[in-house]
Amino acid sequence: MGLKHILNPILFQGYKKKNRYFEGWYYKMVSADETYKVAFIPGISLAGEKTHSFVQVFISQKLPNMTLKTDYFRYEKSDFQYENEPFEVTLGPQSFSSNQLSVDFKSNRLQVKGSLFIESLTPLEKGLWTPNIMGPFGYLNFMECYHGVVSMTSPLKGSLIIDGKEVSFDGGKGYIEKDWGKSFPRAYVWLQTNHFQDPDTSLMFSYADIPFLGFYFIGLICNLYYKGKEYRFATYNFSKVIKEEISPKQAFYVLKKGKYRLEIKAIQQDQIDLASPINGAMDHTIKEGLSGQVEIRLFHKNVLIYEDTGKEAGIEIMRK
């Protein structure tokens, strides 16, 4: 894994000499009226006889009633094709890039067809110590799971025909991230939303058990993007989790870095089962919703400097 790939996590990281491996991109798209949320997860799984490529589709519809639908579209390994300059992944008729996605899915569970245009990306700030969201851990070649944030928030154009109804995503918002490696963490909390009252704010958070050189540590990565500035709380910049409370469908955290303190309260709404990787195979199950709520309070020197509530949040609580 060269420096170019470390700095650009959207690129296909590859599976040379690996027989237990997964790689998947997460495109979350929300219509301007927030009625429809759609997540597309294209990827590849190397796991012996279970090897295949896939696209997992997740649809959350708010009106007339809250409904969740998901389906897992399986392809041959050979159907997975990619280009890194410019980036694009294709699986059959489906294509995903940094500025567009085109899909045509049909099953007895759901139908989705159309194209969405990603007008711009909001990438993370980068430096020698922070080449990506994983910081210096991103340089290592033996981690069980790698995480990348491609865009904290992106304006959208285009439309999708969802179960026979045309849904406009003009003026909507997107979020893109990805994971690759062998397995998801054994326990974690993950959340993301870019639908705050302040329209430019975006938040992603992950707190997970990380295997490392024969033992485990709980690793934190959190990025709050507000008024064009990043507030990064992470294990590698000596941030601390000074409070954690987990209850059914809720998680509360207090993070501290220097003179900054961030309080996060995540509340899950409806959720559905999604496939996730374990030792390269998509055999594990996680639960995710796309309509959660996240309350945040940011303090500097114990003075509240920002308070907001994010909606349409993707939330996974896989810790007890």
Side-chain angles (χ1 to χ4, degrees), residues 132-149:
N132 54 42
I133 192 64
M134 292 185 66
F137 294 101
Y139 290 114
L140 304 179
N141 64 2
F142 56 81
M143 304 296 289
E144 180 182 63
C145 185
Y146 296 86
H147 189 74
V149 174

Side-chain angles (χ1 to χ4, degrees), residues 189-203:
V189 172
W190 169 89
L191 61 91
Q192 177 279 327
T193 176
N194 51 11
H195 283 78
F196 290 88
Q197 295 179 37
D198 182 291
D200 296 322
T201 297
S202 183
L203 173 75

Side-chain angles (χ1 to χ4, degrees), residues 6-139:
I6 294 171
L7 293 170
N8 298 281
I10 193 173
L11 301 181
F12 180 56
Q13 303 295 310
Y15 45 77
K16 294 180 181 179
K17 298 181 180 179
K18 296 176 182 176
N19 56 14
R20 288 285 176 174
Y21 181 78
F22 81 94
E23 186 162 349
W25 294 255
Y26 178 88
Y27 288 77
K28 177 191 170 193
M29 307 292 165
V30 182
S31 62
D33 62 4
E34 302 175 13
T35 299
Y36 281 86
K37 283 81 67 177
V38 182
F40 299 102
I41 308 172
I44 190 164
S45 166
L46 300 185
E49 295 180 353
K50 298 180 180 180
T51 293
H52 66 286
S53 60
F54 62 89
V55 181
Q56 194 162 193
V57 182
F58 182 12
I59 301 173
S60 174
Q61 178 182 339
K62 186 179 293 185
L63 298 174
N65 299 303
M66 173 62 74
T67 58
L68 299 179
K69 296 181 180 181
T70 184
D71 210 343
Y72 190 92
F73 295 85
R74 188 183 182 102
Y75 300 86
E76 297 297 324
K77 176 186 174 184
S78 58
D79 291 325
F80 178 88
Q81 302 291 325
Y82 74 94
E83 296 286 343
N84 275 342
E85 294 183 6
F87 168 76
E88 184 179 31
V89 162
T90 59
L91 298 96
Q94 330 300 341
S95 66
F96 302 87
S97 71
S98 59
N99 55 25
Q100 182 180 355
L101 61 86
S102 295
V103 299
D104 188 358
F105 296 105
K106 185 176 182 179
S107 72
N108 58 2
R109 295 182 182 179
L110 56 85
Q111 297 181 34
V112 187
K113 182 178 181 179
S115 297
L116 297 182
F117 300 90
I118 302 162
E119 296 192 279
S120 63
L121 302 179
T122 306
L124 300 182
E125 297 174 2
K126 300 175 183 178
L128 183 63
W129 187 251
T130 54
N132 54 42
I133 192 64
M134 292 185 66
F137 294 101
Y139 290 114

